Amino acid sequence: MSAAALQGVGIGWRRELALFIDRMPSPGFVEVLAEHLSPSGPIPEPLVRLRKRGVPLVLHSVSLGLGAAEPPSSERLSWLARQAEQLGAVCISEHLAFVRAGGIESGHLLPIPRTTDALEVLTENVSRAQAALPVPLALENVASLFEWPDAAFTEAEFLREVLARTSASLLLDVANLHAHTLNHGTDADAVLASVPRERLAYVHVAGGIQHGGLYHDTHAHPVPDGPMALLERLARRLGPVPVMLERDDRFPSETELSAELAEMSRALERGAAREHAEAHG
Amino acid sequence: MSARERLALAQAELVRALGVGGPVPAGFDTARVQAAAQALIHKRRRAVENTWPNLASALGPDFARHFDAWARTYPMCVEPDPRAEGRRFAETLRGQGLLPASVSGVLLDFDARWNWIATGEAVRRRGFALVIRRDTFTRRWQVALRLPGGRVMRWV
């Protein structure tokens, strides 16, 4: 599969959403958390059904730590490779982040410094991961409440460098980008402009909440206007892009979920329509 | 020093500030890093709360206070696992005499099903497993037996 092979509007699979996803008429694709799958047991029955329906499955991992000083271990990589094979995943995604250091697990995706040191280490880690994984790898930008000091690159420049130095594709999280524009004043349009369509695997949308002067990317709240507007602007640049909703906690009613997915489709249509108008009129 | 070595030192320093209340490394916005540290503890606590509802409800309003203090002293050293986290937390409470007596049976049940080690891993037991211990509060002997197939019998 090339990075640009996914299509449509999808959703992140969670046990709590299994019934809702089962009933979705035609999910574009479904993303499955690697850490939710049993290391030895069979894959959950609802996922087998999705595969039989021909819905492409993407494996999403949160624990490799591709941005860590310590390279991803071969045990962790072969575990991920097995999960991908068992699931029949079309691609694997991981984050531009680190999760552990100095013997402590943070339990979360932590930002990496935007320096040449970090870029060098990340590039090596990514090649090592790609060599061990059976399907293409997509890298995701993360949300953070703080930034590292002494950045040598802006976020847009850093993403461009990552794409230039690796053959991985990008999983652009517009909710994380929204968080960064609010928390750090990141230039969202510069980031959107740094994404070539042929390197974009898919897009994440999620909800969050403003708390104590900071935007927290919770995946537990309704999607605010900000990420939807970024999705529309991305579609204006690139045409319709594969996009999915992430919800991890405080699961809403089926009506609310359907409404959010429909809103994502409309944002894509609005953006793509304007792209068409600008290109042809 | 190589790029990896420099990055390792910087990342370890940051993780200590986030996980165990270590000093915020130079150049970072202290308030922001502390807000992130609080968010990490909240995430850890919520996972344990969901996995150990009896423990959370038995402690009531004290749950968050006790858990947050405990979490800073006991960082996660292996892959995060709220089952083992909750069990480790309960064990510390027990040692301090703060564990509600009503949770005792739940812990016994857990111990019959899971082999948990203090670093934070919980491994499912297989076959027969026998747990015998003396309850801190009632001073009575408690016995739990896990049968092959997963059924647990309890005598308390």
Side-chain angles (χ1 to χ4, degrees):
Chain A
M1 183 197 101
S2 79
L6 292 171
Q7 287 178 21
V9 176
I11 188 163
W13 194 83
R14 307 289 181 265
R15 280 179 206 287
E16 293 87 342
L17 299 177
L19 187 61
F20 173 79
I21 296 172
D22 244 358
R23 289 177 183 159
M24 278 173 79
S26 52
F29 61 102
V30 167
E31 184 194 76
V32 181
L33 278 170
E35 287 75 7
H36 277 190
L37 295 173
S38 151
S40 47
I43 66 170
E45 193 52 39
L47 294 177
V48 176
R49 279 200 296 277
L50 284 170
R51 258 179 80 175
K52 285 190 186 141
R53 283 170 71 188
V55 177
L57 300 180
V58 173
L59 188 65
H60 189 54
S61 160
V62 297
S63 62
L64 267 186
L66 287 174
E70 187 150 332
S73 74
S74 46
E75 293 78 24
R76 228 175 260 284
L77 285 168
S78 54
W79 161 79
L80 198 56
R82 274 200 313 277
Q83 302 283 46
E85 272 160 3
Q86 205 190 1
L87 190 67
V90 295
C91 80
I92 295 176
S93 50
E94 242 297 355
H95 302 81
L96 291 163
F98 76 109
V99 291
R100 63 186 71 82
I104 297 178
E105 291 276 334
S106 74
H108 201 71
L109 300 158
L110 301 176
I112 50 177
R114 294 195 301 272
T115 59
T116 42
D117 271 0
L119 204 49
E120 186 185 312
V121 172
L122 173 76
T123 308
E124 280 174 24
N125 289 353
V126 168
S127 325
R128 192 179 170 128
Q130 285 176 314
L133 298 175
V135 288
L137 178 67
L139 303 171
E140 175 180 359
N141 59 307
V142 296
S144 68
L145 299 179
F146 61 87
E147 289 214 285
W148 284 77
D150 308 320
F153 306 95
T154 64
E155 190 161 346
E157 288 165 349
F158 193 77
L159 283 182
R160 259 199 296 268
E161 283 295 321
V162 171
L163 292 177
R165 291 178 188 219
T166 71
S167 60
S169 54
L170 184 69
L171 157 50
L172 183 71
D173 189 317
V174 288
N176 292 347
L177 182 55
H178 171 69
H180 278 201
T181 59
L182 294 181
N183 292 346
H184 316 308
T186 300
D187 181 348
D189 284 307
V191 172
L192 296 181
S194 70
V195 182
R197 178 66 188 94
E198 69 280 6
R199 297 293 291 278
L200 179 68
Y202 60 108
V203 177
H204 270 175
V205 170
I209 195 165
Q210 195 85 28
H211 174 69
L214 289 169
Y215 183 83
H216 294 250
D217 172 55
T218 61
H219 298 192
H221 294 87
V223 179
D225 293 339
M228 290 292 187
L230 288 174
L231 177 63
E232 184 178 331
R233 265 140 71 189
L234 185 68
R236 185 161 21 164
R237 277 195 63 244
L238 303 179
V241 290
V243 62
M244 55 154 276
L245 179 66
E246 289 186 292
R247 184 84 183 201
D248 288 324
D249 205 351
R250 298 196 186 92
F251 295 95
S253 70
E254 298 207 353
T255 321
E256 281 171 73
L257 272 181
S258 302
E260 279 194 337
L261 292 168
E263 185 50 46
M264 285 157 62
S265 294
R266 279 196 295 275
L268 285 180
E269 282 162 19
R270 281 195 304 270
R274 242 177 274 172
E275 181 232 14
H276 191 78
E278 280 163 18
H280 297 93
Chain B
M1 215 192 292
S2 71
R4 262 190 207 279
E5 286 162 337
R6 282 191 297 271
L7 190 63
L9 289 175
Q11 290 184 337
E13 202 183 359
L14 177 64
V15 168
R16 276 194 300 276
L18 290 169
V20 296
V24 175
F28 283 88
D29 181 325
T30 306
R32 292 281 188 103
V33 173
Q34 283 165 352
Q38 190 50 49
L40 291 188
I41 292 224
H42 181 257
K43 184 179 177 184
R44 241 177 117 178
R45 189 204 318 139
R46 190 157 164 78
V48 170
E49 189 179 354
N50 288 338
T51 316
W52 291 85
N54 311 56
L55 180 60
S57 64
L59 286 168
D62 289 334
F63 175 72
R65 189 165 55 86
H66 287 323
F67 183 85
D68 292 9
W70 175 85
R72 281 190 194 91
T73 322
Y74 294 85
M76 297 185 285
C77 300
V78 294
E79 211 87 339
D81 180 350
R83 278 181 308 242
E85 281 265 280
R87 186 62 188 87
R88 282 209 296 165
F89 172 49
E91 197 57 27
T92 305
L93 290 176
R94 192 184 5 205
Q96 296 168 341
L98 294 169
L99 187 74
S102 61
V103 189
S104 177
V106 179
L107 295 191
L108 194 67
D109 226 54
F110 179 85
D111 292 351
R113 290 174 203 279
W114 297 89
N115 204 351
W116 61 281
I117 46 177
T119 52
E121 271 174 295
V123 183
R124 201 181 280 280
R125 291 182 189 269
R126 307 212 177 274
F128 283 106
L130 186 64
V131 180
I132 306 173
R133 69 161 159 255
R134 194 138 185 208
D135 187 76
T136 334
F137 293 91
T138 60
R139 303 244 151 238
R140 283 167 61 180
W141 288 97
Q142 297 182 320
V143 179
L145 174 68
R146 183 205 185 272
L147 299 170
R151 200 156 77 90
V152 172
M153 307 183 62
R154 252 201 284 160
W155 296 271
V156 289

